[in-house]
């Protein structure tokens, strides 16, 4: 339960240096919520070499696995080239992303948030237990900068419709055009590089994508 989860009092109190030891002056900009085994993170690393990406995963054994995998990848690249910076820009934290996001990230810190194959048991869950809900969207809108993007993908059509509806109805978000979704390298990457995405492809299932831009803050007259 959450009693065992560590989180900082506020973003300034968070020490990121153990997670990104080679890049101490950078801030996390990309978040993979419920990253599972980390396939997306590892694929994003070379696509955004100058940006820090963070996976957030609530299951301790899974986050431990991702942590060890990232360490191993870093080491493997350093054995080839001692100056290699490969995989230094990705890390994973064990955390409940539905509860403590504003403890980790300042307002407008993030440029991208991924929700890949979330809530597999979505139908049985109560409204408030869902990872996309009106309240949580306001929180995501807080940590996401204007122009930043929320990416969603799922094989559950009902969940796709649920996420779409709530994002469409929220004043801080607008859907990307079909062309923008089609041409976004991140869409292709979450389609192909997530473990769930691969599993769905093996089973010849459908994948539903919806991406939303964080609008500018409203101006009060
Ligand atoms: N995104 C990965 C993929 O596409 O392969 C994993 C998808 S898996 C079906 C959903 C993951 O979200 C699980 O690993 C689960 O432990 C994690 N998760 C669920 N609720 C979470 C929460 N509140 N905070 C962080 N992770 C969560």
């Amino acid at each position: 339960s959450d009693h065992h989860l560590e989180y900082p009092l506020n973003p300034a109190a968070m020490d990121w240096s153990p997670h990104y030891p080679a890049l101490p002056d950078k801030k996390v900009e990309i978040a993979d919520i419920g990253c599972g085994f980390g396939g997306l993170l590892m694929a994003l690393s070379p696509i955004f070499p100058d940006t820090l990406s963070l996976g957030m995963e609530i299951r301790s054994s899974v986050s431990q696995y991702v942590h060890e995998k990232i360490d191993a990848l870093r080491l493997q690249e350093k054995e080839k080239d001692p100056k290699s910076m490969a995989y230094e820009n990705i890390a994973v934290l064990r955390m409940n992303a539905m509860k403590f996001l504003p403890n980790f990230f300042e307002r407008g810190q993030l440029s991208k948030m991924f929700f890949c194959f979330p809530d597999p048991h979505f139908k049985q869950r109560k409204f408030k237990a869902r990872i996309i809900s009106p309240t949580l969207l306001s929180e995501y809108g807080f940590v996401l900068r204007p122009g930043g993007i929320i990416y969603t993908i799922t094989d559950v059509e009902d969940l796709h419709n649920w996420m779409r509806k709530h994002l469409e109805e929220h004043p801080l978000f607008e859907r990307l055009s079909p062309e923008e979704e089609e041409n976004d390298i991140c869409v292709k990457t979450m389609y192909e590089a997530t473990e769930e995405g691969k599993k769905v492809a093996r089973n010849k299932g459908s994948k539903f994508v919806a991406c939303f831009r964080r609008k500018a803050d409203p101006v009060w007259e």
Side-chain angles (χ1 to χ4, degrees):
S1 77
D2 292 341
H3 301 291
H4 306 290
L5 294 176
E6 286 180 23
Y7 57 93
L9 222 48
N10 55 55
M14 177 68 190
D15 179 11
W16 292 100
S17 60
H19 304 284
Y20 303 98
L23 295 162
D25 300 323
K26 283 192 176 284
K27 287 184 177 176
V28 173
E29 288 183 42
I30 300 178
D32 182 7
I33 311 285
C35 67
F37 292 95
L40 178 68
L41 273 182
M42 289 152 206
L44 290 175
S45 175
I47 299 175
F48 300 103
D50 300 321
T51 304
L52 299 191
S53 298
L54 180 72
M56 287 176 268
E57 174 51 53
I58 201 165
R59 285 184 290 169
S60 74
S61 58
V62 176
S63 69
Q64 187 59 29
Y65 168 90
V66 176
H67 180 75
E68 284 168 17
K69 178 114 194 239
I70 293 170
D71 269 356
L73 287 168
R74 288 176 181 174
L75 197 65
Q76 187 184 317
E77 295 301 319
K78 288 219 166 43
E79 278 165 5
K80 290 186 228 157
D81 169 9
K83 291 205 201 91
S84 168
M85 290 292 279
Y87 303 108
E88 295 290 347
N89 61 340
I90 57 171
V92 65
L93 274 188
R94 182 186 173 217
M95 66 176 278
N96 184 345
M98 289 171 69
K99 289 207 172 155
F100 305 116
L101 276 188
N103 292 72
F104 288 90
F105 305 122
E106 294 160 14
R107 177 178 187 178
Q109 183 173 335
L110 300 181
S111 62
K112 297 177 194 297
M113 296 179 82
F114 289 91
F115 295 87
C116 299
F117 304 93
D119 285 350
H121 310 293
F122 134 89
K123 276 207 168 153
Q124 293 96 302
R125 279 179 197 250
K126 288 195 216 69
F127 195 86
K128 272 176 143 172
R130 294 179 181 172
I131 204 138
I132 299 275
S133 69
T135 317
L136 282 171
L137 282 180
S138 295
E139 221 172 272
Y140 304 153
F142 177 82
V143 294
L144 202 61
R145 68 187 61 151
I149 297 177
I150 284 190
Y151 295 85
T152 74
I153 184 169
T154 176
D155 57 329
V156 180
E157 192 165 12
D158 287 342
L159 173 56
H160 169 69
N161 289 332
W162 162 274
M163 294 195 289
R164 238 190 46 205
K165 172 177 183 288
H166 287 282
L167 278 153
E168 278 165 4
E169 286 173 358
H170 198 287
L172 280 179
F173 296 99
E174 64 188 4
R175 178 112 190 226
L176 298 195
S177 69
E179 296 73 36
E180 285 175 307
E181 285 185 6
E182 178 125 346
N183 296 325
D184 192 318
I185 176 82
C186 294
V187 171
K188 187 172 152 43
T189 308
M190 69 177 182
Y191 222 88
E192 293 171 358
T194 53
E195 277 76 14
E196 282 300 318
K198 288 180 189 158
K199 197 158 99 190
V200 175
R202 277 198 301 275
N203 299 334
K204 307 216 182 323
S206 307
K207 299 180 222 181
F208 304 93
V209 169
C211 307
F212 287 79
R213 187 181 296 106
R214 161 70 157 90
K215 294 200 256 182
D217 288 318
V219 180
W220 305 102
E221 316 247 333

